[in-house]
Amino acid sequence: MIHQTIVDHLVFALLLLIPLIEWKWNWPRYLARLASGDTNARLSHYRKLIVGEWILTIGFLVYWVAVSRKFGDLRLTGDTPLRFGLGLGYVLLLIGMLMWQRRALLARPDRRARVRKALAYGVPLLPHSERERRIFWAVSVTAGFCEEIFYRGFLTWYLSVWMGPVAAVLLASLIFGAGHVYLGIAQVPKTAFIGLIFAIVVSLTGSLWPAMLLHAAVDWNSGELGFKLVRGNPSSELPAA
């Protein structure tokens, strides 16, 4: 039987609490900085995201080792090479499709307005300059690695102790979606669905690594698409929010 410690319960509580703090405290203040014309606001926000997530992740992994748990429980070790390889190939195919779709959208001026409108909720988070664009790549890698550790790794493991594996995956995906509530209530189910796709990738491959790659690629692709659209329409600096 898996023994969970008070630290496990605290980590679970933090995964519920941090998004609420971001939604009600950090995000409104960040938007206020952008609205005031602070040109360093976005870079500062990116750096806080990167440093904060890596500190939490490294600290968590040190704890995991300290209590003599296996990385396999977090799906950090693969199942069979064949299963992993096939899954990785599938993920690379999905990434290729994402890149093709982005190029196709940018090549059609008639579609740009619709895509720009669809991405309006995330404009404050998207890079607007070359420097921000490069730092956003690091944000994408950070989110891909760190968030998969917590949501598809720890959270699924934690919830599986209390419920069946399917219910654990569904609830973990919902919590992942709720973790992005600062972008708007409407984004919660959409992000939860994306989280479910990442969970399916983990289940198919038996490893977090392909899901980490896909997660990072999805974020990076969104950043690249948003950057091109924002640069092509400077007036979209801030949506009505």
Side-chain angles (χ1 to χ4, degrees), residues 73 75 149-161 163-165 168-170 172-173 199:
D73 292 333
R75 300 295 188 92
I149 288 285
F150 283 113
Y151 288 100
R152 255 61 64 184
F154 168 78
L155 191 54
T156 303
W157 168 87
Y158 179 89
L159 294 173
S160 294
V161 176
M163 58 190 70
V169 165
L170 292 175
S173 299

Side-chain angles (χ1 to χ4, degrees), residues 8-25:
D8 296 319
H9 302 318
L10 287 174
V11 172
F12 175 67
L14 282 175
L15 290 177
L16 301 179
L17 181 61
I18 290 176
L20 293 177
I21 296 173
E22 181 68 21
W23 180 29
K24 292 298 185 179
W25 182 267

Side-chain angles (χ1 to χ4, degrees), residues 173-195:
S173 299
L174 181 59
I175 293 173
F176 175 71
H180 295 75
V181 67
Y182 64 93
L183 292 173
I185 299 294
Q187 302 309 313
V188 171
K190 297 176 184 178
T191 312
F193 179 72
I194 294 174

Side-chain angles (χ1 to χ4, degrees), residues 81-98:
L82 178 60
R83 183 180 175 190
F84 180 86
L86 289 174
L88 183 60
Y90 175 67
V91 164
L92 291 174
L93 178 62
L94 288 178
I95 293 172
M97 291 174 62
L98 282 174

Side-chain angles (χ1 to χ4, degrees), residues 8-204:
D8 296 319
H9 302 318
L10 287 174
V11 172
F12 175 67
L14 282 175
L15 290 177
L16 301 179
L17 181 61
I18 290 176
L20 293 177
I21 296 173
E22 181 68 21
W23 180 29
K24 292 298 185 179
W25 182 267
N26 293 336
W27 188 251
R29 282 155 181 76
Y30 168 58
L31 292 181
R33 286 186 65 185
L34 287 177
S36 72
D38 185 347
T39 57
N40 196 48
R42 194 170 283 106
L43 286 173
S44 176
H45 188 68
Y46 289 169
R47 293 188 185 104
K48 288 178 181 177
L49 287 174
I50 293 169
V51 172
E53 289 200 16
W54 279 109
I55 288 176
L56 289 173
T57 303
I58 293 171
F60 170 75
L61 292 176
V62 169
Y63 155 73
W64 197 262
V65 172
V67 294
S68 302
R69 289 187 182 143
K70 298 178 181 179
F71 281 133
D73 292 333
L74 293 176
R75 300 295 188 92
L76 281 172
T77 56
D79 191 352
T80 65
L82 178 60
R83 183 180 175 190
F84 180 86
L86 289 174
L88 183 60
Y90 175 67
V91 164
L92 291 174
L93 178 62
L94 288 178
I95 293 172
M97 291 174 62
L98 282 174
M99 295 174 66
W100 174 84
Q101 182 186 49
R102 171 168 54 85
R103 292 194 182 99
L105 288 172
L106 292 173
R108 294 283 300 274
D110 57 313
R111 294 183 180 179
R112 286 193 173 210
R114 284 184 295 172
V115 177
R116 190 180 293 116
K117 183 177 180 181
L119 288 177
Y121 70 91
V123 166
L125 196 58
L126 296 172
H128 285 55
S129 69
E130 283 292 345
R131 188 180 180 192
E132 290 172 357
R133 181 189 188 188
R134 291 191 295 271
I135 300 297
F136 193 82
W137 296 346
V139 172
S140 301
V141 172
T142 297
F145 184 86
C146 300
E147 292 180 13
E148 290 307 304
I149 288 285
F150 283 113
Y151 288 100
R152 255 61 64 184
F154 168 78
L155 191 54
T156 303
W157 168 87
Y158 179 89
L159 294 173
S160 294
V161 176
W162 304 94
M163 58 190 70
V166 174
V169 165
L170 292 175
L171 184 53
S173 299
L174 181 59
I175 293 173
F176 175 71
H180 295 75
V181 67
Y182 64 93
L183 292 173
I185 299 294
Q187 302 309 313
V188 171
K190 297 176 184 178
T191 312
F193 179 72
I194 294 174
L196 182 59
I197 293 175
F198 295 154
I200 292 172
V201 169
V202 174
S203 297
L204 290 175

